[in-house]
């Protein structure tokens, strides 16, 4: 059996387990919130697609918000995201989230240093409120090497089927790699917490990253029946953030 077949077989089994998890979530009124962040071209879209592929369309929402309009820019920063938070029996997945303020907005000067500092001060309290009010919250950071990002962005530019995935910010992502790294590091140090930890995913190998994200979700559900037969997440691929990861090679620099 080829590696491709191994991947497809495990993916199918994991997706069946996700279906079972969602049935339980609907029955037991879970409110599931998952945030995907990461480097440009790190594979967020593909991972989210595999997670949601066979889930209930009624009970699952993927949110990828455009840049805010003038009215939204005048609101409390978290306000437009709150509108999409899950109710009982629902799962909401953010493809990029409020953490834009700690990443692209900081690097590109789309918000002021004062706004960015306030965000970093406020987000732990905001996330604590989410968790204490019953949301099952997971936030993933997909990390790739500088070389892998360059290859993926080049392939994206050359593939007409990926026209909607290209943007003017792609080139900037490469040019400002070090700035994005610095922003990521501070974001981790200031917004990682026991109640809302950052789950880091080494995503140079897309298929391994996808399988391990789903494994993590299933084990994080805390139900032994749902996790039965599901391989444990591979710590060489996925792990809860700790400061040492900024220096020991687990996160790209």
């Amino acid at each position: 059996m080829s590696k491709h077949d191994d991947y497809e077989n495990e993916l199918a089994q994991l997706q069946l387990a996700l279906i079972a998890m969602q049935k339980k979530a609907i029955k037991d009124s879970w409110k599931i919130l998952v945030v995907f962040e990461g480097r440009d071209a790190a594979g967020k879209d593909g991972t989210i697609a595999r997670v949601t592929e066979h889930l209930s369309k009624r009970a699952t929402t993927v949110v990828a918000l455009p840049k805010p309009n003038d009215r939204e820019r005048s609101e409390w920063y978290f306000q437009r995201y709150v509108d999409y938070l899950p109710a009982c029996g629902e799962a909401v997945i953010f493809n990029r989230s409020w953490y834009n303020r700690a990443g692209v907005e900081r690097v590109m000067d789309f918000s002021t240093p004062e706004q960015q500092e306030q965000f970093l001060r406020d987000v732990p309290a905001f996330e604590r409120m989410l968790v204490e009010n019953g949301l099952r919250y997971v936030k993933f950071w997909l990390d790739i090497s500088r070389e892998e990002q360059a290859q993926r962005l080049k392939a994206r530019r050359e593939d007409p089927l990926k026209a909607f995935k290209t943007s003017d910010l792609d080139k900037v992502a490469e040019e400002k790699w070090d700035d994005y790294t610095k922003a990521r590091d501070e974001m981790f140090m200031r917004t990682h917490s026991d109640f809302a930890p950052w789950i880091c995913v080494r995503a140079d190998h897309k298929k391994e990253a996808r399988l391990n994200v789903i494994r993590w979700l299933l084990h994080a559900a805390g139900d032994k029946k749902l996790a039965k037969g599901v391989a444990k997440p591979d710590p060489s691929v996925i792990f809860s953030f700790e400061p040492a990861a900024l220096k020991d090679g687990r996160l790209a620099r």
Side-chain angles (χ1 to χ4, degrees), residues 11 33 46 50 65 91 108-109 112 241:
L11 178 62
L33 176 64
R50 301 312 179 279
L65 296 182
M108 299 301 297
D109 294 323
T112 67
F241 171 74

Side-chain angles (χ1 to χ4, degrees), residues 181-196:
T181 299
K182 184 177 179 181
R184 177 203 65 188
D185 293 356
E186 183 175 1
M187 179 185 76
F188 280 164
M189 291 300 295
R190 298 187 61 181
T191 65
H192 175 77
S193 62
D194 291 340
F195 51 85

Side-chain angles (χ1 to χ4, degrees), residues 5-25:
D5 289 336
D6 289 343
Y7 166 74
E8 291 295 338
N9 287 338
E10 182 175 359
L11 178 62
Q13 292 304 309
L14 290 172
Q15 289 176 329
L16 284 170
L18 283 174
I19 290 171
M21 185 177 79
Q22 186 165 52
K23 287 180 177 178
K24 182 174 178 59

Side-chain angles (χ1 to χ4, degrees), residues 226-244:
L226 291 174
K228 185 177 181 181
V230 175
K232 290 185 177 180
D234 182 347
S236 70
V237 177
I238 190 168
F239 56 94
S240 182
F241 171 74
E242 55 186 358

Side-chain angles (χ1 to χ4, degrees), residues 75-87:
E75 296 173 345
W76 175 51
Y77 178 69
F78 295 99
Q79 190 166 328
R80 71 181 188 136
Y81 297 102
V82 169
D83 283 344
Y84 295 91
L85 294 177

